[in-house]
Amino acid sequence: MNKRLLIIGLTCSAIISQTAAAAPSESQKLKFKLKTEFVLKPFGGIPFCVDLNDDGQTEVLWLQSAGMFQSKVFDKSISKRADRTERDHFCLTASDASGNVLWQIGKPWQGKRPFLTHGGERNIDCADIDADGIKEVVCIRGDELLVINAKTGQVKRSVKLKADNAQIVVLGHTGPKPTDWTIMVKNPESSYKPHEYANPAWFYDNDLRFLKTADHHGSGHVPLALDTDSDGLDEFIIGYSLVDNDLRTVWTYHPTSADKWSSGEMHVDDHAVARFGGRLCIAYAASNLSILLDAKDGSLIWRREGVHPQHCQVGHFVPGDRNNAVFIRNKRSNNQLFDAHGKQLWKVDPPVNFPHGRPAACERAFHVFDPTTLLPGAGPQKTDLLIYSDGGWPYAIDGYGKRYAEFPHTPNSKQDWGKVPGRPDDYGYGYYVRVADFDGDGENEVLINDRRFAWIYETLE
């Protein structure tokens, strides 16, 4: 759920540019075995992996929602290709790791064409915010914030939000009591005046009492909540700002002067947190910049210009190097890896992967919300791998930017339901990837899904 202490980063493809690192010859050791395949239709959607009932096994929440397109901010741009029924659609289904439905809120989509969705990947967070021993699912439905019993699906509390363009939920434990949770709800993109792009954020307590509205410099799409100062309480990383547990802004980094600033062009697309040489740092992918800051005070460690850095990971990728590195995915372009000092180790143009043939609708390049997913410790010498999903059927890549391992595919993984009036991934083309322990054996499995089917893989050494 919450992207806490992200620990990976990586690379892309088999087509390596002139700046790519030379990899030692090594036979491929990691293999994936298909453990189970199950049907998701009609309730399939965006997956959120959580142990809902604390039995040691991971369940999945499947979200069907228009995401940010439900907001009236998009009436002019989206109403031409999606009616109000489609934009108001909401269905949240909880299932086990075999696809058996546990509970459901709303009814699954029954339209003739795939429903439209965009930006709903941060719509849900989950924690025991009232300290009753049962987790709560906190999510946005239209202009409402819902608190749901994770075991039963019962809506425990709800509140009407301050605006209809909220689409991000992040939970932070912000006080000494087990009930001291702060719920951050945020606009992910287009705003209502007088707010700038991706602003504001709204804050609530665990009883849904409103606390504060706040704007943050460079506010973007993937805010985080985690304990950055080791005081036992969570802070929020929102755009270029660190916000303390009392909702006071501790520091703000300014990537350019005020006269050159453009919130729509220079917002933070992604950030990831990890230690570099014992120092907690925040890596940023934003506008034309890749940046590494000290999490303590926001001081700059390094910054590099790129095509359009839009996604980042941090982790231990390169065998023989104990330090973490920063992986950058440039929008519909190449991937880069930077070492702890900002030196580019390689640049790679990742290959697409359509084992059943490339659908006509996917001639337009993918731009999925999470183009890579961390698979920790599965690479050479226990390095981290990334599972790359921005080019069709996912595959794993190693710390040299090379295609390292494949996921066996079945006939059901073929996708072709004709042309769509927008980005193919907004209408169900492409695949989601999640890594979690789905069977309670203490080992990670990999979930790949689209809206119709899900596949769970285990690793074989």
Side-chain angles (χ1 to χ4, degrees):
M1 313 310 287
N2 209 330
K3 222 174 158 188
R4 298 173 185 260
L5 277 185
L6 296 176
I7 48 166
I8 189 162
L10 194 97
T11 107
C12 228
S13 124
I15 304 175
I16 302 181
S17 75
Q18 294 179 353
T19 58
S25 59
E26 181 175 349
S27 60
Q28 180 172 308
K29 295 181 179 179
L30 181 68
K31 294 187 181 299
F32 293 106
K33 176 185 176 182
L34 179 61
K35 184 176 182 179
T36 183
E37 176 185 50
F38 53 92
V39 177
L40 294 178
K41 195 174 181 178
F43 60 81
I46 302 170
F48 296 81
C49 298
V50 186
D51 183 356
L52 295 173
N53 51 19
D54 293 313
D55 64 352
Q57 299 184 27
T58 301
E59 287 77 42
V60 187
L61 297 166
W62 308 96
L63 175 66
Q64 294 185 353
S65 164
M68 66 187 190
F69 288 152
Q70 59 86 26
S71 171
K72 292 182 176 61
V73 167
F74 297 96
D75 276 356
K76 290 184 179 179
S77 59
I78 301 300
S79 59
K80 295 179 181 178
R81 54 188 172 100
D83 61 24
R84 198 67 247 179
T85 299
E86 184 173 1
R87 293 173 63 191
D88 288 342
H89 175 65
F90 179 91
C91 181
L92 181 63
T93 304
S95 83
D96 64 17
S98 297
N100 299 307
V101 174
L102 305 176
W103 51 260
Q104 190 171 79
I105 299 174
K107 295 181 180 181
W109 178 249
Q110 299 292 335
K112 293 182 180 180
R113 72 176 186 186
F115 64 86
L116 170 68
T117 186
H118 188 81
E121 287 82 356
R122 297 295 179 267
N123 182 278
I124 291 173
D125 206 349
C126 189
D128 182 8
I129 63 174
D130 57 10
D132 65 350
I134 301 173
K135 289 189 179 80
E136 283 73 44
V137 175
V138 184
C139 75
I140 296 167
R141 180 179 63 185
D143 61 356
E144 290 181 290
L145 183 64
L146 307 180
V147 176
I148 302 164
N149 182 304
K151 282 187 176 181
T152 66
Q154 176 188 4
V155 177
K156 300 174 67 172
R157 296 184 292 281
S158 66
V159 67
K160 188 176 178 63
L161 293 166
K162 300 294 182 179
D164 72 348
N165 61 338
Q167 199 53 224
I168 298 172
V169 176
V170 177
L171 306 179
H173 186 223
T174 53
K177 299 178 182 178
T179 55
D180 287 338
W181 286 82
T182 298
I183 303 170
M184 186 197 70
V185 177
K186 203 180 84 63
N187 166 32
E189 195 180 278
S190 295
S191 60
Y192 290 111
K193 293 181 180 180
H195 302 287
E196 286 190 335
Y197 184 96
N199 275 303
W202 300 275
F203 297 89
Y204 297 81
D205 70 9
N206 73 318
D207 286 320
L208 301 187
R209 290 184 292 243
F210 179 71
L211 300 174
K212 184 178 182 179
T213 299
D215 289 50
H216 302 92
H217 192 60
S219 184
H221 312 313
V222 189
L224 308 174
L226 68 160
D227 184 5
T228 62
D229 57 8
S230 301
D231 66 351
L233 305 176
D234 287 336
E235 290 75 48
F236 295 93
I237 300 172
I238 310 173
Y240 286 113
S241 296
L242 180 73
V243 178
D244 209 347
N245 60 287
D246 62 359
L247 306 185
R248 174 183 56 89
T249 297
V250 179
W251 55 256
T252 298
Y253 174 75
H254 294 269
T256 189
S257 58
D259 61 311
K260 296 180 180 179
W261 173 252
S262 170
S263 60
E265 295 296 326
M266 299 178 181
H267 60 273
V268 174
D269 279 297
D270 199 7
H271 28 38
V273 181
R275 293 194 176 276
F276 289 77
R279 175 167 55 171
L280 190 67
C281 300
I282 307 172
Y284 286 84
S287 184
N288 65 331
L289 297 175
S290 302
I291 299 172
L292 190 68
L293 300 182
D294 189 319
K296 182 178 181 180
D297 57 10
S299 58
L300 179 67
I301 299 172
W302 54 258
R303 58 185 277 169
R304 301 289 181 267
E305 292 192 5
V307 177
H308 183 355
Q310 201 159 45
H311 168 74
C312 63
Q313 298 271 22
V314 289
H316 176 217
F317 306 125
V318 182
D321 186 349
R322 295 183 180 181
N323 290 318
N324 281 320
V326 178
F327 166 81
I328 295 292
R329 168 69 178 153
N330 290 297
K331 181 179 179 181
R332 297 191 183 96
S333 183
N334 51 42
N335 296 337
Q336 296 171 281
L337 190 69
F338 296 95
D339 70 11
H341 306 289
K343 177 184 177 182
Q344 180 180 285
L345 300 179
W346 47 257
K347 183 187 293 183
V348 168
D349 295 314
V352 297
N353 187 35
F354 294 97
H356 297 291
R358 187 168 187 165
C362 297
E363 290 302 320
R364 178 178 180 178
F366 279 103
H367 176 30
V368 300
F369 193 91
D370 293 306
T372 69
T373 303
L374 168 66
L375 186 58
Q381 301 178 32
K382 302 299 181 181
T383 52
D384 300 326
L385 297 178
L386 283 180
I387 302 171
Y388 176 70
S389 55
D390 218 10
W393 182 251
Y395 55 85
I397 51 179
D398 66 14
Y400 299 102
K402 291 188 174 182
R403 197 161 165 169
Y404 185 75
E406 309 293 327
F407 293 93
H409 54 84
T410 75
N412 289 327
S413 63
K414 180 179 181 179
Q415 295 183 331
D416 196 351
W417 40 87
K419 293 184 178 180
V420 291
R423 283 173 39 170
D425 41 294
D426 285 351
Y427 290 90
Y429 283 104
Y431 305 88
Y432 297 101
V433 178
R434 302 290 185 263
V435 173
D437 180 6
F438 292 99
D439 56 12
D441 66 352
E443 300 290 335
N444 281 328
E445 289 81 41
V446 178
L447 168 70
I448 299 175
N449 77 276
D450 61 13
R451 299 179 187 179
R452 309 159 306 140
F453 296 95
W455 303 267
I456 293 181
Y457 298 85
E458 57 187 3
T459 58
L460 298 177
E461 295 292 342

